Amino acid sequence: MNSRLTIALPKGRLAQQVLKKLNAQGLPITINPSSRVLIQTDENNYEYMFVKPSDVITYVEEGVCDIGFVGSDSILEERKDIYELVDLKIGVCKMVIAGKDNDILEKSSTIRVASKYPYIAKTACTDMGINATIVKLNGSVELGPLVGLSDVIVDIYETGNTLKANNLQVLKELFDISTRLIANKASFRRKRQIIERIITILDEEVSP
Ligand SMILES: Nc1ncnc2c1ncn2[C@@H]1O[C@H](COP(=O)(O)OP(=O)(O)OP(=O)(O)O)[C@@H](O)[C@H]1O
Ligand SMILES: O=P(O)(O)OC[C@H]1O[C@H](OP(=O)(O)OP(=O)(O)O)[C@H](O)[C@@H]1O
């Protein structure tokens, strides 16, 4: 059995949370997330690749990585052919529609929406009977309504501080978000035993 497992780890805010969760669940990770070395192998013969969060799904679907850790927002947006295996219950936030005008969703049938998540934004508006023109942005999405680029945004909400600091408000909550373990389908068949061991470890309830 091929014992090497290649794991896509998201850089940025999720890196520490994922490693902390894996260690807390009893999967000791002896790699250095602060290092600029993008591929690190530990003594379990696990190979870790540090990738941009929005690229985790691509590395897993393409089979470069057997498994990966990614936000459910990315899973819903990318709609790739992968297995979603475990909710780690970290990276918890929400997807919301936000803007300046608190009844624009009720009074307008056509709006402009700025978002990092064009598919999620378009689908949400369609479901509400609203025709949306999507303006794709890759960050600081809150600028959209402030500079006349869009009427509203579809973006992540955790504490609300960014919206509040920019005089925007939540107009509609769409869904909850958290970090998930995903797997390449062929890898899951080929390395089922080792991947199921990780699923078991992550599913175990450990004292906080
Ligand atoms: N403010 C937040 N609070 C909690 N979790 C968040 C927040 N923003 C993003 N996340 C979660 O962390 C994941 C990665 O977000 P992060 O901001 O670290 O990446 P990024 O800088 O947006 O990089 P990329 O553009 O590749 O997504 C998101 O997909 C989401 O699941
Ligand atoms: O509700 P809050 O706690 O304010 O968090 C929400 C903010 O966090 C994310 O931004 P990020 O920090 O990832 O920067 P970005 O806008 O460049 O994506 C997201 O895009 C929101 O702007």
Side-chain angles (χ1 to χ4, degrees):
M1 179 193 75
N2 181 343
S3 62
R4 175 180 282 274
L5 195 65
T6 303
I7 303 168
L9 278 179
K11 295 166 75 172
R13 62 169 28 92
L14 284 187
Q16 292 295 356
Q17 291 187 56
V18 169
L19 293 174
K20 185 179 172 191
K21 174 77 174 180
L22 292 174
N23 279 300
Q25 297 290 128
L27 195 69
I29 308 287
T30 55
I31 54 169
N32 175 9
S34 306
S35 163
R36 299 294 292 171
V37 175
L38 295 176
I39 302 177
Q40 299 181 36
T41 303
D42 74 5
E43 68 276 10
N44 300 304
N45 204 24
Y46 293 168
E47 185 178 58
Y48 296 87
M49 291 188 185
F50 285 88
V51 305
K52 189 120 177 76
S54 54
D55 290 339
V56 165
I57 294 180
T58 299
Y59 284 87
V60 172
E61 187 191 42
E62 294 292 333
V64 171
C65 295
D66 299 308
I67 61 172
F69 296 92
V70 67
S72 51
D73 49 308
S74 295
I75 297 171
L76 288 169
E77 178 64 25
E78 302 291 333
R79 291 156 290 130
K80 295 287 178 70
D81 187 25
I82 46 98
Y83 286 136
E84 183 180 330
L85 302 174
V86 178
D87 179 349
L88 276 78
K89 299 182 175 55
I90 59 173
V92 176
C93 49
K94 293 179 185 293
M95 189 67 74
V96 300
I97 301 177
K100 289 190 288 189
D101 184 340
N102 60 15
D103 61 0
I104 190 167
L105 296 181
E106 285 70 39
K107 70 185 184 185
S108 305
S109 57
T110 301
I111 58 173
R112 288 169 61 82
V113 183
S115 186
K116 272 175 66 173
Y117 306 92
Y119 173 78
I120 290 172
K122 186 69 178 177
T123 306
C125 290
T126 302
D127 292 350
M128 293 187 290
I130 297 174
N131 178 37
T133 299
I134 306 301
V135 179
K136 172 70 163 63
L137 295 176
N138 295 303
S140 301
V141 175
E142 295 79 7
L143 274 173
L146 303 185
V147 298
L149 193 59
S150 72
D151 300 302
V152 300
I153 64 173
V154 167
D155 198 21
I156 283 172
Y157 173 104
E158 183 189 10
T159 63
N161 290 340
T162 308
L163 289 181
K164 187 176 178 183
N166 292 285
N167 300 313
L168 300 174
Q169 55 189 313
V170 175
L171 304 178
K172 182 177 178 61
E173 286 190 13
L174 296 177
F175 50 80
D176 293 333
I177 293 166
S178 60
T179 304
R180 310 294 164 89
L181 169 67
I182 63 172
N184 173 278
K185 291 190 168 182
S187 295
F188 188 75
R189 286 188 289 273
R190 227 180 28 252
K191 305 180 182 180
R192 190 179 186 111
Q193 191 176 3
I194 195 172
I195 294 176
E196 285 187 334
R197 174 174 170 266
I198 292 175
I199 293 171
T200 304
I201 288 171
L202 287 172
D203 266 341
E204 277 168 4
E205 287 296 327
V206 292
S207 52

